[in-house]
Amino acid sequence: LAAWDGSAWSPHEPDINNTGFGSGVRSIIAFDDGSGDAIWVGARNERGIARQPIGGTGWDPVNQGNGLTQPAIAIEAIDAGPAQGVYAVGARGRFGDEAARDLFVYDGAAWSQVPGADLDDPGNIGANPTISRFILDLTELNGELVVAGQFEKIGGQTVNNIAIWNGSAFEPLGSGIVGTTPGDPDVTT
């Protein structure tokens, strides 16, 4: 990690690589979970998510080992609205080879899988069962969570690679996105 001071980049201390969280960061957000502003990072190994208060001196696991024990490909926080919470996409397998199929939500005490978000569930396998299914990115839109990647269905709904989690169910976002592939630009709002 590095910090921008308005004119130059400098290493962010302490270096997350020297804290047991692994070989770097895959995703990063700033979020106040009620205990103060903090930097949250998705580690590139099975340690999951780490958090450091702004001005703090160390990284803390965010309930590591309690639900989310996978590398975190993407994280997003929603601080108001029906889908309020911190979300993370967990990868199964190694990085470079991962299948990002698990979407988790953190309730302040533990991580749990978002209902209907397991892309290996038979209800989420579309017309072509051999196609790879994965989530690439998350973003917030009007208090709801937008989930994007390569999947025909999620939550049993046909959504074509992009969907909205409203806090209780997945819904299509328009007619979806056709032709997403790994390496496509991230979804942003």
Side-chain angles (χ1 to χ4, degrees):
L1 286 179
W4 178 255
D5 67 7
S7 60
W9 289 98
S10 60
H12 179 78
E13 297 297 336
D15 185 353
I16 194 154
N17 293 325
N18 298 323
T19 62
F21 281 96
S23 60
V25 171
R26 177 76 170 127
S27 52
I28 184 170
I29 61 170
F31 181 62
D32 181 350
D33 63 356
S35 60
D37 290 331
I39 299 169
W40 296 59
V41 298
R44 292 184 63 102
N45 69 13
E46 70 282 351
R47 295 294 301 268
I49 307 287
R51 165 185 192 286
Q52 182 184 66
I54 301 295
T57 59
W59 292 97
D60 298 314
V62 179
N63 209 0
Q64 188 269 331
N66 192 351
L68 179 65
T69 57
Q70 304 162 328
I73 291 179
I75 55 178
E76 181 63 77
I78 301 175
D79 59 6
Q84 186 172 356
V86 177
Y87 293 85
V89 177
R92 299 178 189 172
R94 301 183 328 248
F95 264 85
D97 238 5
E98 74 272 357
R101 295 188 178 141
D102 296 319
L103 178 61
F104 293 89
V105 61
Y106 184 66
D107 65 8
W111 291 97
S112 59
Q113 191 167 35
V114 172
D118 181 353
L119 296 182
D120 284 335
D121 183 276
N124 288 332
I125 297 175
N128 184 352
T130 61
I131 193 168
S132 294
R133 295 170 306 283
F134 47 83
I135 298 169
L136 289 173
D137 208 358
L138 309 170
T139 195
E140 183 268 340
L141 179 64
N142 300 324
E144 297 179 323
L145 182 71
V146 178
V147 179
Q150 180 174 301
F151 49 89
E152 183 180 341
K153 297 174 87 176
I154 192 167
Q157 299 286 320
T158 299
V159 296
N160 296 320
N161 306 309
I162 190 165
I164 291 181
W165 170 251
N166 65 19
S168 60
F170 285 97
E171 302 171 350
L173 183 59
S175 58
I177 301 171
V178 178
T180 61
T181 57
D184 279 355
D186 291 340
V187 173
T188 59
T189 58

